[in-house]
Every structure is written in structure tokens, then in C-alpha cells.
Amino acid sequence: MTCTFCDIIEEHSMGYIIYQDLETTAFLDRSPVVKGHVLVVPNAHILEITKCDPQTLGSLMVVVKKVAQCQRAALKASGNLIFNNNVIGQSVAHLHFHVVPRSNHDGYRASSSPSLKYESQQQMQYYREILGASI
């Protein structure tokens, strides 16, 4: 099975890579939500975060931090939005983290959906118990 994301990484090696080492590559997103939006990916094909070994995940997070720091310094970003979406809403089958530089009035809205609320303290307790027991 060919990974389209691996093909994209290869294509981006023509000039949009901002950082690369033996385990990771960071490059500009072709469809940024804010200019300077970067994708950080493992060089090895890994489908999603739950399939990623701890060492590779640690290496990815080190690069995510480097990218976030450089966005703040080089782009004068006030902060960063860092996210990973797998399976739901993911257009490619390869683990990747979005690192988006954020500033007040940058025009980006992370969600058009309103925040939900738990119906009760009992419902919150239920989720705490099932998640706490599973971790």
C-alpha cells in the first residue's frame, strides 16, 4: 500500500521543508489555516498516534516544540495551536501534527461548534471513571 503522505513529503523536499532529521520532517502545509502553518511527521510510515512507539513520539514532540518556538520568534506569534486528528477528518493516512502560529486577530477560528457542557457532576464522574480505569 502506498502512503500518499509519504509522497507529499517527497514532493515537499523540493523546497518547503523547514526542518528534517533522521526520524522527523517538518514542512509548510500547502493549505494553511494561518500562514506559517507547519506539519510535523515521522519519516517512517505510521498510521496514527496510537500506533506510534514512545521513542518516535518523543522525537516528534521535540520537533513540534522547536517549530512552535521558531513560529513565535520568526513570525512574532503570540502562541501556537497544536493538534493531531486521526481517522475522523484526516485526508491522509499518515501520522502528522499541525503546528499553527496564533496571534490575536489572525482570523482563524478553531471550531464553529459551540463548547459542550456535561449534564451533571455524575456524568463528569462517569467519564472520569471509565477513562481513569482505561489509562
Side-chain angles (χ1 to χ4, degrees):
M1 177 175 120
T2 303
C3 172
T4 42
F5 212 60
C6 294
D7 295 338
I8 291 169
I9 293 168
E10 186 67 31
E11 183 179 327
H12 275 78
S13 68
M14 303 298 276
Y16 300 107
I17 290 175
I18 66 162
Y19 178 83
Q20 190 166 41
D21 61 29
L22 292 175
E23 293 185 67
T24 61
T25 299
F27 58 93
L28 292 176
D29 190 308
R30 290 172 146 204
S31 301
V33 297
V34 173
K35 289 184 174 74
H37 176 166
V38 172
L39 299 176
V40 178
V41 302
N43 294 338
H45 177 65
I46 299 170
L47 181 61
E48 60 179 275
I49 194 169
T50 61
K51 309 289 188 215
C52 190
D53 66 272
Q55 180 181 336
T56 301
L57 187 58
S59 297
L60 284 166
M61 290 299 102
V62 166
V63 176
V64 165
K65 179 181 176 183
K66 285 181 184 182
V67 170
Q69 289 171 322
C70 94
Q71 287 173 335
R72 286 186 179 206
L75 301 176
K76 309 286 189 266
S78 302
N80 309 86
L81 173 65
I82 298 167
F83 65 95
N84 162 258
N85 60 321
N86 290 119
V87 184
I88 305 300
Q90 183 173 329
S91 59
V92 292
H94 191 103
L95 175 61
H96 59 286
F97 289 89
H98 296 259
V99 186
V100 180
R102 294 301 315 273
S103 297
N104 289 334
H105 314 296
D106 62 16
Y108 177 67
R109 300 289 167 251
S111 174
S112 59
S113 300
S115 295
L116 300 175
K117 295 188 185 295
Y118 289 99
E119 295 170 14
S120 64
Q121 290 293 321
Q122 291 80 14
Q123 190 180 47
M124 286 183 76
Q125 180 69 16
Y126 167 77
Y127 280 94
R128 186 198 69 77
E129 287 175 9
I130 63 170
L131 293 172
S134 297
I135 202 160

